[in-house]
Amino acid sequence: MNYYFLFFQDQLLLTADGTLPQGCEPPVALQSGQRLQPLPPLPEAACFAAQLAAPPTQGEWQMVALRSCFELLPAPLYQLAGKARELLHWDETTRFCGHCGAPMQLHTDISKRCTQCGREVWPALSAAIIVAITRNHGEEILLVQSKSFKRDYMGLVAGFVETGESLEACVEREVWEETRLHIRNLRYFASQPWPYPNVLMMGFTAEYDGGTLQLQRSELNKGGWFSRHNLPAIPGRVSLARKLIDHWLQQPESTPAP
Ligand SMILES: [Zn+2]
């Protein structure tokens, strides 16, 4: 039995009751000659991915946005669905050589080689940072609302790593650009693939070290310092932002100095 990760754009094909299709053959017809992308196998099944030309019109299927699959699929399957989406996106965007323009040919499951000049390409990641900044001995956290958020909630300062930049320098630059604040005690927290598409998010914690909050209006709608007792809506559990905020919420409250 195989698992099939079949996407139409960023939506994954699931059964009507929200599980991943399994079987010996793909559950819906693929285009003739279409290749199935092999994925790392799970202990219980081999895994394959493919892009659908259109959502199925027959059968008891539903198309679910990859982000929402976090709530439906077991963690290993959600992780693999993200990898599947990234590989399919890579396949779509590397049909021709970026150097000479000739068609690219699959070389291994995760690499291609140019049919003309021999150039090789692998799936590439964009690195991004996200940082939870606290002040007053951890009593307050800085939350901001990016213009890119699709719902009305508050998250953390985040941004893409630029070429030639260390992670530490990136965090300091993003914090300065978005808030005009300085930070200290920068510490690595955790990382997470963010397949929307091809991003590796790296999470940090830091403490406020001076400056007056001044939001970058081109990037942010609003922002401010919040305590445990006046938290606004925060990001969903799928995100590293939420894991950072939950980690802060789990810290014991400091007792006020006498
Ligand atoms: Zn080439």
Side-chain angles (χ1 to χ4, degrees), residues 133-135 140-143 181 208 213 223-227 230:
I133 304 165
T134 56
R135 70 173 186 183
E140 293 178 303
I141 191 166
L142 179 70
L143 298 178
L181 299 181
Y208 167 77
L213 184 60
W225 295 98
F226 293 85
S227 79
N230 71 342

Side-chain angles (χ1 to χ4, degrees), residues 188-257:
Y188 174 72
F189 175 74
S191 66
Q192 176 176 298
W194 192 243
Y196 302 101
N198 308 333
V199 178
L200 178 63
M201 291 292 287
M202 284 163 280
F204 294 83
T205 61
E207 291 168 27
Y208 167 77
D209 192 36
T212 305
L213 184 60
Q214 207 181 317
L215 297 176
Q216 186 182 22
R217 290 293 171 188
S218 58
E219 298 273 325
L220 303 175
N221 288 327
K222 53 186 172 179
W225 295 98
F226 293 85
S227 79
R228 290 167 171 73
H229 310 292
N230 71 342
L231 271 190
I234 55 176
R237 292 188 308 118
V238 64
S239 65
L240 186 53
R242 177 60 174 271
K243 292 185 181 79
L244 278 157
I245 295 170
D246 283 348
H247 173 75
W248 168 70
L249 285 170
Q250 285 155 12
Q251 304 302 307
E253 284 193 66
S254 66
T255 44

Side-chain angles (χ1 to χ4, degrees), residues 2-182:
N2 304 322
Y3 276 125
Y4 290 97
F5 298 80
L6 304 182
F7 282 87
F8 175 68
Q9 295 166 354
D10 76 331
Q11 297 183 317
L12 181 62
L13 180 88
L14 296 182
T15 63
D17 58 1
T19 60
L20 199 67
Q22 266 191 297
C24 299
E25 295 289 331
V28 298
L30 303 178
Q31 288 165 287
S32 70
Q34 189 178 358
R35 184 182 70 91
L36 280 169
Q37 168 74 45
L39 298 169
L42 290 168
E44 69 273 23
C47 300
F48 298 94
Q51 193 76 42
L52 298 172
T57 50
Q58 293 176 330
E60 298 284 296
W61 305 110
Q62 54 173 332
M63 301 304 300
V64 179
L66 178 57
R67 222 173 277 214
S68 306
C69 292
F70 175 79
E71 305 290 345
L72 295 172
L73 298 178
L77 291 182
Y78 170 75
Q79 287 284 337
L80 209 47
K83 186 181 178 81
R85 181 73 195 99
E86 294 196 336
L87 285 173
L88 294 173
H89 182 263
W90 168 73
D91 188 38
E92 279 169 11
T93 53
T94 53
R95 291 167 53 216
F96 299 96
C97 178
H99 183 65
C100 77
M104 300 295 286
Q105 201 167 48
L106 209 64
H107 182 53
T108 68
D109 286 345
I110 53 160
S111 71
K112 291 184 183 183
R113 190 176 271 175
C114 175
T115 51
Q116 194 71 42
C117 74
R119 179 175 171 265
E120 283 190 72
V121 294
W122 292 265
L125 288 171
S126 297
I129 61 85
I130 185 160
V131 57
I133 304 165
T134 56
R135 70 173 186 183
N136 288 345
H137 307 286
E139 284 297 291
E140 293 178 303
I141 191 166
L142 179 70
L143 298 178
V144 296
Q145 185 174 78
S146 163
K147 286 191 192 291
S148 67
F149 291 176
K150 295 188 173 59
R151 290 183 296 110
D152 185 19
Y153 62 84
M154 306 281 282
L156 300 173
V157 169
F160 285 99
V161 181
E162 294 183 353
T163 49
E165 188 174 50
S166 70
L167 294 174
E168 299 88 323
C170 175
V171 175
E172 288 186 6
R173 177 183 54 75
E174 285 291 346
V175 171
W176 174 253
E177 285 176 2
E178 293 192 8
T179 67
R180 288 293 186 257
L181 299 181
H182 296 288

